[in-house]
Amino acid sequence: MGKKKLYAHHIDSSWCKGCGICVAFCPKQVLELDKNQKAIAARPEDCICCRQCELRCPDLAIEVICSKTEVSNE
Amino acid sequence: MAVKDYIRERFFPHMWCAGCGHGIILNALLHSVDDLGLNKKDMVMVSGIGCSARISGYVDFHSMHTLHGRALAFATGIKMSKPDLNVIVPMGDGDALAIGGNHFIHAARRNIEMTAIVMNNRIYGMTGGQFSPLSGYGAMGTTAPYGNIDHDFDVVDLAVAAGATFVARTTTYHVHELSDLIQQAITHKGFSVLEVLSQCPTHFGRRNKAGDAVDMLKMYKKRTVRIGSDKKKADPDLIERGVFVKKDFPEYCREYDQLILKARKKK
Ligand SMILES: Cc1ncc(C[n+]2csc(CCOP(=O)(O)OP(=O)(O)O)c2C)c(N)n1
Ligand code: SF4
Ligand code: SF4
Ligand code: SF4
Ligand SMILES: [Mg+2]
């Protein structure tokens, strides 16, 4: 099965206010808050590129960079 | 373009509290404008006063931060003089329906082409938590320490009755739907009203024991349904989301142009 390939999560920690919304609603539990209450991608390999975290962040602090199309997993 | 090309980055991080729903609305609006491929030089955002109204400072469009409740009046002037501009008017619940209630119903009645977004957190966030016409019966606020005895407006019913030709509702939890509805509202050729339930964890959440931003979003997920869902029959208190009205009707600026032509011919 093909899926979109994740290249990176760009998280701007100077904009993140640690509300935890991205962490709570990620369907794959990819994200966590670190000890400074800033979002980090703890398990990027599980990300399915749904971009819900990017869209739900009230602080525009996350950008999910993915392939435009589905690519097959080697 | 990237979403960040549509903001004034120098004003970030923004002034809204951690978890404030107004940021999610800004986020969805930027993604919507980007998805529609709109040119920021063609966009105008006009706002009044409130935490919600601060949104106009963050977008890199033409923008005007005006008087409490009067954003639609300023926006009407802009649209009448430059009808090709795409006018977006985000308003708080107090801004739109308390002090601005009269402007709201008359803009809807005229069917002037613009997008009114009601950022409904059911409270006056900016001034510290007073109840608004959308707080609803039983809600707590600084001005309702024993619970509010005023009943709320239903923004959708009010907008429909006043004549808005596009009327929709969603929440800050339903982000894909939010982006889709903003796009439909922007492209509609008439007065569009989109009500977005938006969490204010700082005042509404705290005073109403509704938890933090995450809890409030979970509540939007649990207590709202798509229009026509059977669940609503079993539980009438559920709030419906979706497009309630979308109709063709003569638009005000176009009518005005016709009127000018008519007047010139008479001379
Ligand atoms: C004419 C006038 N009256 C009252 C105020 C004080 N005031 C500022 S914001 C506000 C209400 C804000 O509530 P809302 O519109 O719901 O926006 P929110 O802050 O909740 O986003 C009020 C009453 C004002 N600025 N101008
Ligand atoms: S949603 Fe945004 S602001 Fe909130 S914790 Fe995640 S990255 Fe930070
Ligand atoms: S894109 Fe989806 S799966 Fe990936 S981190 Fe964000 S919410 Fe989680
Ligand atoms: S007071 Fe409420 S509405 Fe204002 S920024 Fe804070 S959370 Fe948002
Ligand atoms: Mg409000």
Side-chain angles (χ1 to χ4, degrees), chain A:
Chain A
M1 267 296 284
K3 62 170 191 174
K4 287 188 181 172
K5 186 173 173 357
L6 174 80
Y7 297 128
H9 290 95
H10 286 175
I11 303 180
D12 187 335
S13 46
S14 66
W15 289 16
C16 169
K17 293 180 186 144
C19 67
I21 288 175
C22 58
V23 177
F25 298 106
C26 169
K28 294 291 170 186
Q29 289 82 45
V30 172
L31 306 163
E32 280 178 9
L33 293 183
D34 69 9
K35 60 178 186 333
N36 299 317
Q37 299 295 300
K38 301 288 182 182
I40 50 162
R43 285 167 289 280
E45 62 284 1
D46 294 341
C47 175
I48 53 169
C49 294
C50 67
R51 292 174 74 216
Q52 290 188 57
C53 54
E54 176 178 326
L55 286 169
R56 266 200 204 99
C57 173
D59 287 87
L60 312 179
I62 304 189
E63 196 182 347
V64 186
I65 318 279
C66 295
S67 60
K68 287 232 158 47
T69 50
E70 296 185 352
V71 292
S72 63
N73 300 327
E74 285 96 295

Side-chain angles (χ1 to χ4, degrees), chain B residues 15-22 50-52 93 121-132 135 139-144 198-213 216 220:
Chain B
M15 55 75 68
W16 292 315
C17 305
C20 176
H22 295 349
C51 293
S52 40
D93 43 314
N121 56 17
R122 303 178 56 197
I123 203 148
Y124 291 179
M126 175 153 273
T127 47
Q130 297 81 0
F131 68 82
S132 90
S135 295
M140 306 296 265
T142 47
T143 46
S198 174
Q199 73 279 6
C200 168
T202 303
H203 293 297
F204 192 88
R206 192 160 54 89
R207 271 174 235 289
N208 287 279
K209 302 203 173 11
D212 63 10
M216 294 177 87
Y220 291 154

